Structures are given as structure tokens and as C-alpha cells.
Amino acid sequence: LILLMTLPAGFAIMSLGLFDRGGRLPYEISRLWTWSILKIGRIRLKVQGLERLDPHRAYVFIANHQSNLDIPVLVQGLSRFQLRWVAKKELLYIPWFGWALWASGNIVVDRSNRAKAIAGLRKAREKIEKGSSVVFFAEGTRSSSGKLLPFKSGGFLLALRTRTPIVPITIRGSGAILPKGDWRIREGDIEVIVNEPVLTDAFHRRDLSVLVNLVRQVMESSLKQRPISPVNETGGAEVVAASEVVLERGGSNGFA
């Protein structure tokens, strides 16, 4: 079923991408596509801390990475934002997915070439200046153990150069539902914890390691946090705000 959804969605994204290089129209298709993946897989998404963010501004989202489901999870969990991904060039070689990734205006980086990697960060800066938020998986690859791997510095450098707040995002449970190296999706809950934005105005390039360690500590703390309150049996995304639980039935796109 997911393959059947992916083929027309990928074609629509690629077609719209020819006319909209900014990627806003293709991104709307990706919202529907990612929503269908979670629904078909019977994945219940729970989001905590979304009220900490201003939906009218851009952020640099720094997330941990456990599963190939993390992209659909973030698209739906952060449904109020236009997201652009910084991805390694090898993903372009994946039929349909890689082509759609390029067509929807995401930033592809050649990590083996420093000059091209820097050029990728310039493109990411342009996305932020146009109002899109940029997502980095801090570890650069999926963790099979669930523990955080060493962090890459690219997302932090971008935030410092653009003076954009960093939002640490902690994903819990996706590795158990679709482990690294497996293709079978298991029914279950995935939690997304939106931590307090880290303002970058007081940091400088020389403070890079301090900033990286700060964000890492926040994410490690969130990984150890108690589970979010039970999800509604009908599925969908739950947002934990203050002391109450609000079930989102629409979101800004109508699909969350």
C-alpha cells in the first residue's frame, strides 16, 4: 500500500517541482504522502512541546535519527512549518524518493567535497531567508542502538551564520517500529519532543562546541524522559501543551 501511494505521490512531486523550484507546492503533496505512510502503518504520533514555537518564523531543527520513518514523522509532527531537508547526495540515487527529494527544493550535500558542502549550506541559508525551516539529522546517519551518535556541525554552523534559533527535536520509538536494515513496519507509537528553542545571538563561531554539547545534552535528557500520556485509540497526532492533551485533527494542512 505504501508503494502504491509512493509512486503517484513521487510523480506529482516531481511534476510540480518543474514549475515550482521553491518547493512549496511539492511539499503539500509530501504532507499527504507522509500522512498516508503513518496511517497505513498504524503509527500513532504524539507530539510534545509544539506550543514553544512560533509558526510564523523559521528555525533550524536539529533531530536525532533512528529510522527511515523519521522524515514522515517530522513532516507530520511539525505540520505548521514548511520544512527543507539537508540530505547526503547518495539519497538522490534512490528511485522516486531521491528524485522527489530533489524536485521539492531540498538541499543535497556532497559530504566528501568541502567546497560543495559549503555551497549546500549557502542554499540552506537562502531557504531560511525565504521563510522555510531547515532540518538536520545531527548524527548524519541512523543509530541502530537508539543512543546518540557523534554530532555533525553543519546545522549548528548554519544557525550561527544566520542567527536562527536551533530547536532540538527528540524522536523516540521510531527505531523499534522500523529498525535500521529492516523493511517491515510494526504498529506502535512514536513520540516527538519539541524542546525549547536555543537562541544563537549570544554564540559565536568559537563557541561551536559549546552549542553542540548544549543541544546534545537537551536531546539526551529527552530520550530519558517518561513516555508521553497515552495516545487516542483512533490514531492521529497528539500535542501535549501545558498540563492538557489536545488531539490535533487538522493541522495547517488538513491531514495531520
Side-chain angles (χ1 to χ4, degrees), residues 46-64:
K46 297 181 283 185
V47 184
Q48 173 184 332
L50 201 58
E51 74 282 356
R52 294 169 171 156
L53 305 183
D54 178 358
H56 302 294
R57 72 154 304 152
Y59 295 97
V60 173
F61 291 107
I62 303 286
N64 64 317

Side-chain angles (χ1 to χ4, degrees), residues 20-28 30-31 58-62 71 74-75 78 81-87 100-108 120 123-128 130-137 158:
D20 179 13
R21 291 305 302 140
R24 289 188 173 270
L25 290 176
Y27 191 73
E28 295 305 316
S30 73
R31 291 186 201 265
Y59 295 97
V60 173
F61 291 107
I62 303 286
I71 290 179
L74 290 181
V75 170
L78 301 173
F81 299 89
Q82 278 270 332
L83 303 179
R84 296 296 178 269
W85 308 84
V86 176
L101 185 73
W102 172 82
S104 52
N106 293 289
I107 305 104
V108 179
K123 292 180 181 178
R125 181 171 189 160
E126 293 173 4
K127 300 295 182 184
I128 289 176
K130 293 179 180 178
S132 295
S133 293
V134 178
V135 183
F136 287 81
F137 287 122
L158 175 66

Side-chain angles (χ1 to χ4, degrees), residues 4-14 26 29-30 32-33 36 96 100:
L4 289 174
M5 285 294 302
T6 298
L7 293 176
F11 180 77
I13 289 171
M14 287 184 283
I29 302 299
S30 73
L32 175 58
W33 172 62
S36 69
W96 291 99

Side-chain angles (χ1 to χ4, degrees), residues 3-217:
L3 274 176
L4 289 174
M5 285 294 302
T6 298
L7 293 176
F11 180 77
I13 289 171
M14 287 184 283
S15 300
L16 288 172
L18 296 175
F19 303 98
D20 179 13
R21 291 305 302 140
R24 289 188 173 270
L25 290 176
Y27 191 73
E28 295 305 316
I29 302 299
S30 73
R31 291 186 201 265
L32 175 58
W33 172 62
T34 54
W35 174 84
S36 69
I37 289 175
L38 300 186
K39 282 295 183 181
I40 292 169
R42 296 181 180 180
I43 297 165
R44 296 172 292 274
L45 181 61
K46 297 181 283 185
V47 184
Q48 173 184 332
L50 201 58
E51 74 282 356
R52 294 169 171 156
L53 305 183
D54 178 358
H56 302 294
R57 72 154 304 152
Y59 295 97
V60 173
F61 291 107
I62 303 286
N64 64 317
H65 198 12
Q66 298 182 351
S67 168
N68 282 331
L69 285 174
D70 292 339
I71 290 179
V73 163
L74 290 181
V75 170
Q76 288 302 305
L78 301 173
S79 61
R80 301 175 186 179
F81 299 89
Q82 278 270 332
L83 303 179
R84 296 296 178 269
W85 308 84
V86 176
K88 55 187 179 182
K89 72 169 186 177
E90 290 79 7
L91 293 179
L92 291 180
Y93 305 141
I94 301 175
W96 291 99
F97 174 80
W99 307 334
L101 185 73
W102 172 82
S104 52
N106 293 289
I107 305 104
V108 179
V109 175
D110 183 353
R111 296 188 296 188
S112 65
N113 187 309
R114 179 176 173 79
K116 291 183 178 179
I118 293 174
L121 288 180
R122 291 196 192 101
K123 292 180 181 178
R125 181 171 189 160
E126 293 173 4
K127 300 295 182 184
I128 289 176
E129 290 171 350
K130 293 179 180 178
S132 295
S133 293
V134 178
V135 183
F136 287 81
F137 287 122
E139 301 150 286
T141 189
R142 286 167 290 161
S143 170
S144 56
S145 67
K147 296 181 180 178
L148 294 179
L149 301 174
F151 279 13
K152 308 291 183 183
S153 62
F156 299 92
L157 286 171
L158 175 66
L160 286 174
R161 290 174 180 173
T162 59
R163 294 301 175 193
T164 304
I166 293 174
V167 180
I169 300 288
T170 309
I171 303 171
R172 303 196 307 184
S174 62
I177 289 177
L178 182 61
K180 183 177 181 179
D182 202 345
W183 58 271
R184 293 167 297 176
I185 296 178
R186 299 154 177 82
E187 178 181 355
D189 299 343
I190 296 178
E191 300 174 354
V192 176
I193 300 174
V194 180
N195 294 287
E196 196 72 38
V198 178
L199 301 181
T200 56
D201 296 340
F203 291 90
H204 301 279
R205 176 65 177 82
R206 63 179 179 272
D207 304 318
L208 178 62
S209 62
V210 175
L211 183 59
V212 172
N213 288 333
L214 172 62
V215 171
R216 185 182 181 92
Q217 288 172 13

